[in-house]
Structures are given as C-alpha cells and as structure tokens.
Amino acid sequence: MGERRKRWMFAVFFIGCLASLAATVYFGTKAFYVEPVNSEENETYQTRVALVMEEAGNPYWEQIKEGAVEAGEEAGIYVETYGPSKANKNEQLETMNRMIESNVDAIITQGIDDPVFQELVQKALEKGVPVITVDSDVPESGRRAYIGTDNYEAGVLAGEELLQHTEGIQHVGIVSGSAETVNQQERVEGFRNTVEASGRVEIKDIGYSGISEIGAAQATYSLLKEEPDITALYGTSALDAVGIAQGIEEIEGAGDLYVIGFDTLPETVQLLEEGTIDATVRQHPVQMGEQAVYDVARLNQQKHVPAIQHTDTVIWRSSEAAREGGAEQ
Ligand code: BGC
C-alpha cells in the first residue's frame, strides 16, 4: 500500500471515530438525561409553614386557612394547618411546640396570652423559626409580626355604633367567645370604655360562648333570664350573633333588642339582611391568612416586614348587608 493511500485511510478512520464519538455523546445525552419534571414542585415546597388555628373547622378559621393556602400556592410555600376540633388553649400550645420540633420554616398562629406561648415563641426564634400572629396579638412575646384587626379599636367601633343607634338608658349584655382570649378581652374593653363614657349605658353582665353557636345561644338565654331589663346585646366572636338570635327566640316576650355582632359569615349576613340583628363588625380573615404567608416569603428574601399590619375593620348595618348582598372577605 502506498504511503499516500495509508494516510488517506487513516484520515477516513480518524474522522469516522470522531463522528461516532460525537453521535454517542449526542444520543447518549438524549437517552439518559431526564428533565426534572417536578422542578416546579420542588421550588414550590422549599418552605414549609404551619398554620396553628384556634379551632379547626370553625368557619372563621377556615377563611384564614383559605387565604393562607392560596397565598402559599402562589408564593411556592407549603402550608400545613392544625387546630383542635374544639377550641383548647393547651392543645394549641402543644401543637405549636410539635411544629417547632418538626423543623417547620415558620409558624402562623393566634397570639395567646400565656407564659408558655412566650416561651414557645422564644424557642422558635432560637431555631430561626419566625412566628407570625394573626387574629390576636401578643406583641411582647417576640413574635415577628401581627396581621389582623386592631381589636381594641374594633370594640370602640361597636360601642360607637351602639351609642349612635340607641337613645336613652341602655342595659347591655355581652356574649364573648372566651374570657382568656386576648382579642375577646380587647373587644370588650374597647366597647366598655366607649359606652360607659356616655353615662347612659350600663354593662349588666358578660356570658361566654366558647366560640360556639350553641354556647352563644345558652349564654344569651342565661343573660336574658337573669337580667330581664337588658336592652342590647353585643357578641364578640364570629358565631355569637347567630347564637344570640337563637337565644332571644327562646325567651318568650323578649322585646326588640339592639344586637351587634362580629364578622360577616354567611349566617350573620343573612340575619342582618332579615333585620334580626342590627350591625356587625366586619373583619378580613382571608386577608390575614394571605398576608401572613406573603410575609413569610418576604422574610425568606430578607425583605422588610412591618411588625404590625392592621387589617380594615368597619361596621356593617342591615341596609349595607342587603345592598352588598354578601361578604367578600
Ligand atoms: C375571632 C376569632 C375566633 C372566632 C370564633 C372571631 O371573631 O376573631 O378569634 O376564633 O371569631 O368564631
């Protein structure tokens, strides 16, 4: 074989080798490289947040949950929700502790006025887990932020409403969710300070509903039996107005009482539309849940999160409920 021919064959062989190497790399990559189908999901769930509610299944807390879960889907944050089936402070605190132990990235919960709550907030902080309060605040606990109603001011609003729409001496019965919950205490205090300053309103007594409708009905019944001269009733948690309406119905010959409640759950709005109750303080639970989760996202990005973010609170009267025809939260 001539020298030229040998070189020529070698060049062809060399080019062939190169081509087959290139083909192996190209097709091999195509065959074995797997696009991470769940890349979006992985991103979505890089952050895990626990929402610890006062009561699971309570329609008001369901709205906070709805806002939190929706915001979580948008911000790529996985929101787990927990809460006792019946409001129970100790269970709430135990759940919070479990969540800290289970290394969640943040906790959203109701501020609880209890030394154990403060200890847990500190414990969470030491692990780098921010606690954001919604619905009820305990600023001195060290929680990172609060999103919710200014509960004292909401009580003031309710008091002003009573003063504006009643005349002469009024005897008031209060139905409150709980004696222990901070927001309930603040709503009573704001109301009390406002109405008592008028000199024509006396608060006769307070009954407790345990944030349930039946509890509110029973508390109303007892209040009206024991204090028959009551002329107005004020309910401070979401299911109280509905219970108050039922309690009044149970009392034969109960006069036309002025009733003011809290929140705009469908049943309460219906009572407003029918004129069974006179007014309600409107809160924004969906927004509380949403905003709390967006704040977790902001904290993750090292962005500023204001310590206090009050959501709007206004009075809804019968006529407004009828006009707006329902409640967007
Ligand atoms: C309060 C919540 C409470 C709920 C009960 C709301 O008005 O803000 O703290 O859990 O009522 O139904």
Side-chain angles (χ1 to χ4, degrees), residues 64-86:
I64 294 189
K65 173 173 158 182
E66 183 192 316
V69 170
E70 272 178 25
E73 277 162 13
E74 208 163 295
I77 290 178
Y78 184 64
V79 179
E80 302 172 355
T81 56
Y82 303 89
S85 53
K86 180 84 206 81

Side-chain angles (χ1 to χ4, degrees), residues 240-256:
D240 292 341
V242 181
I244 287 174
Q246 289 166 12
I248 294 175
E249 245 184 55
E250 295 298 314
I251 302 277
E252 225 176 286
D256 184 19

Side-chain angles (χ1 to χ4, degrees), residues 54 58 60-61 110 135 183 187 211 237-239 263 283:
E54 182 178 11
N58 180 299
Y60 172 87
W61 281 97
Q110 192 188 36
D135 180 59
N183 63 3
R187 290 173 196 179
I211 67 168
S237 72
L239 299 171
D263 295 295
Q283 300 195 85

Side-chain angles (χ1 to χ4, degrees), residues 60 141 178 190 216 228 233 261 264 314:
Y60 172 87
S141 62
S178 150
L233 285 155
T264 45
V314 290

Side-chain angles (χ1 to χ4, degrees), residues 45-50 99 102-107 128-130 296 300:
Y45 297 134
Q46 258 169 15
T47 305
R48 203 177 130 227
V49 169
M99 289 303 106
S102 81
N103 294 323
V104 289
D105 298 296
I107 294 176
V129 178
V296 172
N300 279 348

